[in-house]
Amino acid sequence: MSEIVIYGKPTCPHTKRALAAHPEARFVDVLASEANMEEMLKLSGGQRRIPVIVEDGHACVGFKRGS
């Protein structure tokens, strides 16, 4: 099974839903450091929308499932 990484903010409702749907995911708080934010922006092609979900090297911006 591949690792899932979710970039977001702990207070974001979309990030919370993504984490609930993927409890095995590693969470990266983009507010915790500038490096985390830069990494998220690189993965998202510069988009400042969260969450950014990375699985198998593919980044998906946003989370709509379960809304």
Side-chain angles (χ1 to χ4, degrees), residues 4-66:
I4 298 173
V5 182
I6 298 177
Y7 292 81
K9 299 176 188 176
T11 57
C12 170
H14 303 294
T15 299
K16 288 179 181 180
R17 281 199 295 276
L19 288 167
H22 301 286
E24 75 285 5
R26 180 171 60 92
F27 174 66
V28 178
D29 183 350
V30 297
L31 298 178
S33 74
E34 186 65 30
N36 288 355
M37 177 67 80
E38 288 176 18
E39 187 176 347
M40 188 266 315
L41 289 172
K42 200 177 292 185
L43 290 164
S44 70
Q47 293 186 60
R48 290 186 168 268
R49 290 183 48 217
I50 54 171
V52 174
I53 303 168
V54 181
E55 184 174 9
D56 292 329
H58 175 73
C60 175
V61 180
F63 185 77
K64 294 181 184 170
R65 190 174 359 150

